[in-house]
Short mmCIF file of all heavy atoms in Angstrom, two decimals:
data_model
loop_
_atom_site.label_atom_id
_atom_site.label_comp_id
_atom_site.label_asym_id
_atom_site.label_seq_id
_atom_site.Cartn_x
_atom_site.Cartn_y
_atom_site.Cartn_z
N VAL X 19 -11.62 -4.88 5.45
CA VAL X 19 -11.28 -4.20 6.62
C VAL X 19 -11.75 -2.76 6.66
O VAL X 19 -10.91 -1.89 6.96
CB VAL X 19 -9.79 -4.37 6.95
CG1 VAL X 19 -9.51 -5.84 7.25
CG2 VAL X 19 -8.95 -3.95 5.82
N SER X 22 -11.14 -1.57 10.87
CA SER X 22 -9.74 -1.46 11.32
C SER X 22 -8.69 -0.98 10.30
O SER X 22 -7.68 -0.38 10.71
CB SER X 22 -9.28 -2.74 11.85
OG SER X 22 -8.94 -3.66 10.83
N PHE X 24 -6.77 -2.81 8.93
CA PHE X 24 -5.58 -3.60 9.39
C PHE X 24 -5.76 -4.88 8.47
O PHE X 24 -6.58 -5.76 8.96
CB PHE X 24 -5.58 -3.82 10.88
CG PHE X 24 -4.48 -4.71 11.35
CD1 PHE X 24 -3.18 -3.94 11.65
CD2 PHE X 24 -4.48 -5.94 11.61
CE1 PHE X 24 -2.13 -4.59 12.04
CE2 PHE X 24 -3.44 -6.64 12.16
CZ PHE X 24 -2.17 -5.97 12.32
N VAL X 26 -4.69 -8.52 7.10
CA VAL X 26 -3.87 -9.76 7.48
C VAL X 26 -4.17 -10.76 6.46
O VAL X 26 -5.28 -10.89 5.95
CB VAL X 26 -4.38 -10.26 8.84
CG1 VAL X 26 -3.50 -11.47 9.31
CG2 VAL X 26 -4.32 -9.12 9.96
N ASN X 42 -8.46 -11.37 6.67
CA ASN X 42 -9.54 -11.12 7.66
C ASN X 42 -10.78 -10.39 6.99
O ASN X 42 -10.67 -9.77 6.04
CB ASN X 42 -8.99 -10.21 8.77
CG ASN X 42 -8.10 -9.04 8.30
OD1 ASN X 42 -7.69 -9.09 7.27
ND2 ASN X 42 -8.06 -8.01 9.26
N GLU X 44 -14.11 -8.35 8.06
CA GLU X 44 -14.74 -7.65 9.18
C GLU X 44 -16.18 -7.42 8.90
O GLU X 44 -16.71 -7.61 7.81
CB GLU X 44 -14.03 -6.35 9.56
CG GLU X 44 -12.57 -6.58 9.91
CD GLU X 44 -11.87 -5.30 10.26
OE1 GLU X 44 -12.30 -4.20 9.85
OE2 GLU X 44 -10.80 -5.44 10.84
N SER X 51 -16.61 -10.31 13.04
CA SER X 51 -15.40 -10.22 12.13
C SER X 51 -14.62 -11.57 12.45
O SER X 51 -14.76 -12.25 13.53
CB SER X 51 -14.56 -9.11 12.58
OG SER X 51 -15.26 -7.94 12.38
N VAL X 52 -13.93 -11.99 11.51
CA VAL X 52 -13.12 -13.28 11.61
C VAL X 52 -11.63 -12.94 10.98
O VAL X 52 -11.49 -12.28 10.02
CB VAL X 52 -13.83 -14.46 10.90
CG1 VAL X 52 -13.98 -14.26 9.43
CG2 VAL X 52 -13.08 -15.74 11.13
N CYS X 53 -10.67 -13.53 11.70
CA CYS X 53 -9.30 -13.44 11.49
C CYS X 53 -8.87 -14.21 10.16
O CYS X 53 -9.57 -15.23 9.80
CB CYS X 53 -8.52 -13.83 12.63
SG CYS X 53 -8.61 -12.80 13.98
N ALA X 54 -7.96 -13.80 9.61
CA ALA X 54 -7.34 -14.48 8.34
C ALA X 54 -7.07 -15.98 8.58
O ALA X 54 -7.24 -16.87 7.73
CB ALA X 54 -6.04 -13.70 7.84
N GLU X 55 -6.37 -16.20 9.69
CA GLU X 55 -5.88 -17.61 10.02
C GLU X 55 -7.15 -18.53 10.16
O GLU X 55 -7.03 -19.66 9.60
CB GLU X 55 -5.22 -17.66 11.43
CG GLU X 55 -3.99 -16.80 11.53
CD GLU X 55 -4.24 -15.33 12.02
OE1 GLU X 55 -5.28 -14.73 11.55
OE2 GLU X 55 -3.50 -14.93 12.89
N ILE X 75 1.50 -16.19 8.41
CA ILE X 75 0.61 -15.11 8.69
C ILE X 75 1.36 -13.80 8.38
O ILE X 75 2.60 -13.72 8.84
CB ILE X 75 0.21 -15.07 10.24
CG1 ILE X 75 -0.22 -16.42 10.55
CG2 ILE X 75 -0.91 -14.05 10.37
CD1 ILE X 75 -0.26 -16.63 12.15
N ILE X 83 3.79 -10.26 12.92
CA ILE X 83 2.39 -10.38 13.36
C ILE X 83 2.30 -11.54 14.35
O ILE X 83 3.12 -12.52 14.08
CB ILE X 83 1.41 -10.57 12.14
CG1 ILE X 83 -0.06 -10.65 12.64
CG2 ILE X 83 1.76 -11.61 11.33
CD1 ILE X 83 -0.71 -9.40 13.07
N ARG X 84 1.39 -11.47 15.24
CA ARG X 84 1.21 -12.60 16.26
C ARG X 84 -0.30 -12.96 16.12
O ARG X 84 -1.19 -12.04 16.06
CB ARG X 84 1.48 -12.20 17.64
CG ARG X 84 2.77 -11.57 17.83
CD ARG X 84 3.99 -12.59 17.67
NE ARG X 84 5.14 -12.02 17.16
CZ ARG X 84 6.00 -11.23 17.89
NH1 ARG X 84 5.78 -11.10 19.16
NH2 ARG X 84 6.97 -10.64 17.29
N PRO X 85 -0.59 -14.28 16.03
CA PRO X 85 -1.99 -14.69 16.00
C PRO X 85 -2.74 -14.39 17.28
O PRO X 85 -2.11 -14.61 18.39
CB PRO X 85 -1.94 -16.20 15.72
CG PRO X 85 -0.55 -16.61 16.19
CD PRO X 85 0.27 -15.35 16.04
N CYS X 86 -4.05 -13.98 17.22
CA CYS X 86 -4.75 -13.72 18.44
C CYS X 86 -5.09 -15.08 19.21
O CYS X 86 -4.82 -16.20 18.63
CB CYS X 86 -6.02 -12.99 18.10
SG CYS X 86 -7.37 -14.08 17.43
N1 LIG T 1 -6.59 -10.09 12.85
C1 LIG T 1 -6.29 -11.15 12.09
O1 LIG T 1 -6.92 -11.40 11.00
N2 LIG T 1 -5.37 -11.99 12.53
C2 LIG T 1 -4.60 -11.85 13.68
O2 LIG T 1 -3.74 -12.67 13.98
C3 LIG T 1 -4.83 -10.63 14.53
C4 LIG T 1 -5.98 -9.84 14.19
C5 LIG T 1 -7.56 -9.18 12.51
C6 LIG T 1 -8.92 -9.00 13.03
C7 LIG T 1 -9.39 -7.76 12.75
O3 LIG T 1 -9.95 -7.80 11.45
C8 LIG T 1 -8.11 -6.86 12.51
O4 LIG T 1 -7.00 -7.87 12.34
C9 LIG T 1 -7.74 -5.97 13.74
O5 LIG T 1 -7.91 -6.69 14.91
#
Side-chain angles (χ1 to χ4, degrees):
V19 289
S22 74
F24 185 80
V26 185
N42 49 335
E44 298 183 345
S51 301
V52 62
C53 294
E55 300 91 316
I75 314 162
I83 180 73
R84 307 291 149 78
C86 78

